[in-house]
Amino acid sequence: ARVPLRVARVRWRGLAALSLLFSVQIGLLNLGTQHTLAARATVLTCTYPVFLALFAHYLLPGDRLTLTKIAGLVLALFGVALVFRDALFLLDTRYLAGDLLTLCSGMLLGLRQVVLKRMVAGLHPYTVLFWQATLSLPQFAAVGLLTERAGPWALSVPVVGAVAYLGLVVAGFCFMVNVSLMRRHRASVLGAFGFATPVFGVLLSGLLLGEPLSPVLLVSMVLVGLGIVVVNWQRG
């Protein structure tokens, strides 16, 4: 079926706000990761389901916090914390600025998921995704021109492959699946699956890069799985 790209005038304010939220969230993430460790950035970014559940409680009718949902979120968050337990205890103030920026990015990611949920209630999910990306491109370009140093361009197979992966898989396929699911399911329930991101990242690093898989990692994956089950639990 053809995806409609024309939207009513009343929708443009919401789409503009969504694109600005997207640009700021990605900008804070990129800036934050330059001033902290990757492990710390991953943990802090993956706090977004907590913020998502909090924002959904106040902004999405019928998506309220419950004791069961809170218990599931805590279980999953503890599982993520176990994966990066060493990084969490590195209380070095030189990472403080990067940590705060990355945490703010995680908070805005949670808020963006809630805004997406509200937008897809009245628009086709792919229409929302198209305008989010299209309206944010000039913002990214403007920031790039202001902050990036001029230098020679060097294209290589890894660079082209990375850009293609981010464009086609992440910003294409994954975003389309995400907005489609947002139309059918509660935002806070979908957000709980975000806790699995760092666990799968470490697991794939073991499979693809030969890094050791510790017993702590296995325990963390169990906790994340239990957290997702608890968040999705509905009493009959």
Side-chain angles (χ1 to χ4, degrees):
R2 180 176 297 179
V3 177
L5 297 181
R6 296 183 63 181
V7 296
R9 181 178 299 179
V10 69
R11 296 286 184 180
W12 282 111
R13 180 178 297 180
L15 289 171
L18 179 63
S19 70
L20 179 61
L21 187 60
F22 177 64
S23 300
V24 175
Q25 182 252 313
I26 296 297
L28 289 176
L29 177 61
N30 290 337
L31 185 60
T33 51
Q34 294 179 20
H35 299 283
T36 189
L37 301 177
R40 298 169 73 99
T42 304
V43 172
L44 293 170
T45 301
C46 288
T47 59
Y48 85 87
V50 176
F51 293 109
L52 189 157
L54 293 175
F55 286 124
H57 178 76
Y58 293 104
L59 300 177
L60 295 178
D63 201 346
R64 311 288 290 180
L65 281 173
T66 63
L67 291 177
T68 302
K69 192 179 293 184
I70 292 172
L73 292 173
V74 171
L75 272 175
L77 183 58
F78 186 68
V80 171
L82 276 181
V83 178
F84 302 101
R85 67 195 189 284
D86 295 333
L88 289 174
F89 292 105
L90 291 177
L91 302 179
D92 195 327
T93 55
R94 56 185 173 166
Y95 301 127
L96 181 60
D99 289 347
L100 290 175
L101 290 171
T102 310
L103 182 61
C104 287
S105 176
M107 179 184 68
L108 292 182
L109 177 55
L111 178 59
R112 182 164 65 86
Q113 296 291 80
V114 172
V115 174
L116 272 172
K117 175 66 175 179
R118 292 176 65 96
M119 295 297 297
V120 298
L123 290 173
H124 193 285
Y126 297 166
T127 303
V128 176
L129 181 61
F130 174 83
W131 286 115
Q132 174 188 266
T134 301
L135 295 176
S136 64
L137 285 176
Q139 302 171 46
F140 286 127
V143 173
L145 290 174
L146 291 174
T147 59
E148 294 183 0
R149 299 176 180 177
W153 288 62
L155 292 179
S156 63
V157 173
V159 170
V160 174
V163 172
Y165 172 78
L166 290 173
L168 298 177
V169 180
V170 178
F173 176 75
C174 292
F175 278 19
M176 286 191 294
V177 171
N178 181 58
V179 295
S180 297
L181 291 174
M182 276 290 179
R183 198 173 196 179
R184 298 180 177 89
H185 303 282
R186 294 194 303 275
S188 59
V189 172
L190 291 176
F193 288 88
F195 284 114
T197 302
V199 176
F200 281 115
V202 175
L203 180 60
L204 288 174
S205 71
L207 294 175
L208 300 178
L209 303 177
E211 296 182 1
L213 302 179
S214 66
V216 173
L217 174 62
L218 300 178
V219 173
S220 71
M221 287 189 291
V222 171
L223 288 174
V224 170
L226 286 175
I228 293 173
V229 170
V230 172
V231 168
N232 284 276
W233 185 267
Q234 295 182 359
R235 296 183 179 181

mmCIF file of all heavy atoms in Angstrom, residues 166-185:
data_model
loop_
_atom_site.group_PDB
_atom_site.id
_atom_site.type_symbol
_atom_site.label_atom_id
_atom_site.label_comp_id
_atom_site.label_asym_id
_atom_site.label_seq_id
_atom_site.Cartn_x
_atom_site.Cartn_y
_atom_site.Cartn_z
ATOM 1 N N LEU A 166 23.973 1.817 9.079
ATOM 2 C CA LEU A 166 23.215 2.772 9.886
ATOM 3 C C LEU A 166 21.992 3.290 9.132
ATOM 4 O O LEU A 166 20.920 3.480 9.725
ATOM 5 C CB LEU A 166 24.115 3.945 10.287
ATOM 6 C CG LEU A 166 25.219 3.630 11.301
ATOM 7 C CD1 LEU A 166 26.132 4.833 11.486
ATOM 8 C CD2 LEU A 166 24.612 3.223 12.641
ATOM 9 N N GLY A 167 22.156 3.502 7.824
ATOM 10 C CA GLY A 167 21.049 4.045 7.054
ATOM 11 C C GLY A 167 19.963 3.030 6.737
ATOM 12 O O GLY A 167 18.767 3.294 6.924
ATOM 13 N N LEU A 168 20.372 1.849 6.269
ATOM 14 C CA LEU A 168 19.396 0.860 5.815
ATOM 15 C C LEU A 168 18.840 0.014 6.954
ATOM 16 O O LEU A 168 17.631 -0.243 7.012
ATOM 17 C CB LEU A 168 20.038 -0.051 4.761
ATOM 18 C CG LEU A 168 20.504 0.643 3.473
ATOM 19 C CD1 LEU A 168 21.184 -0.362 2.551
ATOM 20 C CD2 LEU A 168 19.330 1.299 2.766
ATOM 21 N N VAL A 169 19.715 -0.422 7.857
ATOM 22 C CA VAL A 169 19.290 -1.341 8.920
ATOM 23 C C VAL A 169 18.756 -0.583 10.123
ATOM 24 O O VAL A 169 17.628 -0.809 10.581
ATOM 25 C CB VAL A 169 20.448 -2.273 9.340
ATOM 26 C CG1 VAL A 169 19.994 -3.218 10.457
ATOM 27 C CG2 VAL A 169 20.941 -3.075 8.141
ATOM 28 N N VAL A 170 19.578 0.337 10.651
ATOM 29 C CA VAL A 170 19.184 1.033 11.880
ATOM 30 C C VAL A 170 18.096 2.067 11.604
ATOM 31 O O VAL A 170 16.989 1.990 12.152
ATOM 32 C CB VAL A 170 20.405 1.702 12.548
ATOM 33 C CG1 VAL A 170 19.979 2.470 13.792
ATOM 34 C CG2 VAL A 170 21.442 0.645 12.903
ATOM 35 N N ALA A 171 18.414 3.071 10.768
ATOM 36 C CA ALA A 171 17.463 4.152 10.506
ATOM 37 C C ALA A 171 16.355 3.727 9.547
ATOM 38 O O ALA A 171 15.351 4.424 9.428
ATOM 39 C CB ALA A 171 18.190 5.367 9.935
ATOM 40 N N GLY A 172 16.528 2.604 8.877
ATOM 41 C CA GLY A 172 15.511 2.122 7.959
ATOM 42 C C GLY A 172 14.662 1.031 8.572
ATOM 43 O O GLY A 172 13.575 1.284 9.111
ATOM 44 N N PHE A 173 15.151 -0.182 8.523
ATOM 45 C CA PHE A 173 14.373 -1.340 8.971
ATOM 46 C C PHE A 173 13.979 -1.252 10.440
ATOM 47 O O PHE A 173 12.804 -1.413 10.800
ATOM 48 C CB PHE A 173 15.179 -2.619 8.712
ATOM 49 C CG PHE A 173 14.512 -3.862 9.223
ATOM 50 C CD1 PHE A 173 13.424 -4.408 8.553
ATOM 51 C CD2 PHE A 173 14.965 -4.479 10.383
ATOM 52 C CE1 PHE A 173 12.802 -5.551 9.033
ATOM 53 C CE2 PHE A 173 14.353 -5.623 10.864
ATOM 54 C CZ PHE A 173 13.268 -6.159 10.186
ATOM 55 N N CYS A 174 14.952 -0.990 11.331
ATOM 56 C CA CYS A 174 14.666 -0.989 12.769
ATOM 57 C C CYS A 174 13.684 0.111 13.154
ATOM 58 O O CYS A 174 12.771 -0.115 13.955
ATOM 59 C CB CYS A 174 15.962 -0.827 13.571
ATOM 60 S SG CYS A 174 17.067 -2.245 13.457
ATOM 61 N N PHE A 175 13.858 1.297 12.589
ATOM 62 C CA PHE A 175 12.941 2.391 12.906
ATOM 63 C C PHE A 175 11.535 2.084 12.411
ATOM 64 O O PHE A 175 10.547 2.409 13.071
ATOM 65 C CB PHE A 175 13.436 3.701 12.294
ATOM 66 C CG PHE A 175 14.491 4.403 13.125
ATOM 67 C CD1 PHE A 175 15.208 3.718 14.084
ATOM 68 C CD2 PHE A 175 14.755 5.743 12.938
ATOM 69 C CE1 PHE A 175 16.172 4.349 14.845
ATOM 70 C CE2 PHE A 175 15.720 6.403 13.692
ATOM 71 C CZ PHE A 175 16.430 5.699 14.648
ATOM 72 N N MET A 176 11.420 1.465 11.223
ATOM 73 C CA MET A 176 10.100 1.134 10.690
ATOM 74 C C MET A 176 9.400 0.097 11.562
ATOM 75 O O MET A 176 8.204 0.208 11.838
ATOM 76 C CB MET A 176 10.221 0.630 9.249
ATOM 77 C CG MET A 176 10.515 1.729 8.238
ATOM 78 S SD MET A 176 10.347 1.188 6.517
ATOM 79 C CE MET A 176 11.692 0.003 6.396
ATOM 80 N N VAL A 177 10.147 -0.911 12.014
ATOM 81 C CA VAL A 177 9.561 -1.909 12.906
ATOM 82 C C VAL A 177 9.122 -1.261 14.208
ATOM 83 O O VAL A 177 8.042 -1.542 14.746
ATOM 84 C CB VAL A 177 10.572 -3.045 13.173
ATOM 85 C CG1 VAL A 177 10.064 -3.973 14.280
ATOM 86 C CG2 VAL A 177 10.830 -3.839 11.901
ATOM 87 N N ASN A 178 9.951 -0.355 14.727
ATOM 88 C CA ASN A 178 9.659 0.293 16.000
ATOM 89 C C ASN A 178 8.367 1.106 15.934
ATOM 90 O O ASN A 178 7.493 0.978 16.800
ATOM 91 C CB ASN A 178 10.822 1.198 16.402
ATOM 92 C CG ASN A 178 10.582 1.891 17.729
ATOM 93 O OD1 ASN A 178 10.374 1.251 18.753
ATOM 94 N ND2 ASN A 178 10.604 3.208 17.715
ATOM 95 N N VAL A 179 8.234 1.960 14.912
ATOM 96 C CA VAL A 179 7.036 2.795 14.834
ATOM 97 C C VAL A 179 5.794 1.959 14.535
ATOM 98 O O VAL A 179 4.691 2.308 14.978
ATOM 99 C CB VAL A 179 7.204 3.919 13.780
ATOM 100 C CG1 VAL A 179 8.289 4.881 14.190
ATOM 101 C CG2 VAL A 179 7.465 3.362 12.390
ATOM 102 N N SER A 180 5.948 0.864 13.806
ATOM 103 C CA SER A 180 4.811 -0.014 13.545
ATOM 104 C C SER A 180 4.325 -0.668 14.832
ATOM 105 O O SER A 180 3.117 -0.756 15.093
ATOM 106 C CB SER A 180 5.188 -1.081 12.516
ATOM 107 O OG SER A 180 5.528 -0.500 11.274
ATOM 108 N N LEU A 181 5.264 -1.138 15.651
ATOM 109 C CA LEU A 181 4.894 -1.740 16.929
ATOM 110 C C LEU A 181 4.286 -0.718 17.872
ATOM 111 O O LEU A 181 3.402 -1.040 18.671
ATOM 112 C CB LEU A 181 6.126 -2.389 17.572
ATOM 113 C CG LEU A 181 6.680 -3.632 16.876
ATOM 114 C CD1 LEU A 181 7.974 -4.086 17.533
ATOM 115 C CD2 LEU A 181 5.658 -4.764 16.895
ATOM 116 N N MET A 182 4.784 0.538 17.797
ATOM 117 C CA MET A 182 4.253 1.590 18.666
ATOM 118 C C MET A 182 2.759 1.801 18.446
ATOM 119 O O MET A 182 2.032 2.195 19.359
ATOM 120 C CB MET A 182 4.991 2.906 18.402
ATOM 121 C CG MET A 182 6.296 3.042 19.158
ATOM 122 S SD MET A 182 6.020 3.259 20.927
ATOM 123 C CE MET A 182 7.715 3.341 21.490
ATOM 124 N N ARG A 183 2.299 1.550 17.240
ATOM 125 C CA ARG A 183 0.883 1.764 16.924
ATOM 126 C C ARG A 183 0.007 0.690 17.542
ATOM 127 O O ARG A 183 -1.185 0.919 17.783
ATOM 128 C CB ARG A 183 0.697 1.791 15.405
ATOM 129 C CG ARG A 183 -0.608 2.410 14.959
ATOM 130 C CD ARG A 183 -0.668 2.566 13.458
ATOM 131 N NE ARG A 183 -1.730 3.470 13.058
ATOM 132 C CZ ARG A 183 -1.983 3.792 11.804
ATOM 133 N NH1 ARG A 183 -1.240 3.282 10.826
ATOM 134 N NH2 ARG A 183 -2.964 4.613 11.505
ATOM 135 N N ARG A 184 0.597 -0.477 17.839
ATOM 136 C CA ARG A 184 -0.210 -1.617 18.280
ATOM 137 C C ARG A 184 -0.044 -1.954 19.752
ATOM 138 O O ARG A 184 -0.899 -2.637 20.332
ATOM 139 C CB ARG A 184 0.160 -2.858 17.454
ATOM 140 C CG ARG A 184 -0.122 -2.713 15.968
ATOM 141 C CD ARG A 184 0.280 -3.983 15.233
ATOM 142 N NE ARG A 184 -0.037 -3.905 13.813
ATOM 143 C CZ ARG A 184 0.777 -3.427 12.895
ATOM 144 N NH1 ARG A 184 1.975 -2.975 13.241
ATOM 145 N NH2 ARG A 184 0.425 -3.392 11.624
ATOM 146 N N HIS A 185 1.053 -1.507 20.368
ATOM 147 C CA HIS A 185 1.343 -1.930 21.737
ATOM 148 C C HIS A 185 1.634 -0.726 22.626
ATOM 149 O O HIS A 185 1.956 0.364 22.151
ATOM 150 C CB HIS A 185 2.542 -2.882 21.757
ATOM 151 C CG HIS A 185 2.364 -4.092 20.885
ATOM 152 N ND1 HIS A 185 1.604 -5.181 21.257
ATOM 153 C CD2 HIS A 185 2.835 -4.376 19.639
ATOM 154 C CE1 HIS A 185 1.628 -6.092 20.296
ATOM 155 N NE2 HIS A 185 2.366 -5.626 19.303
#
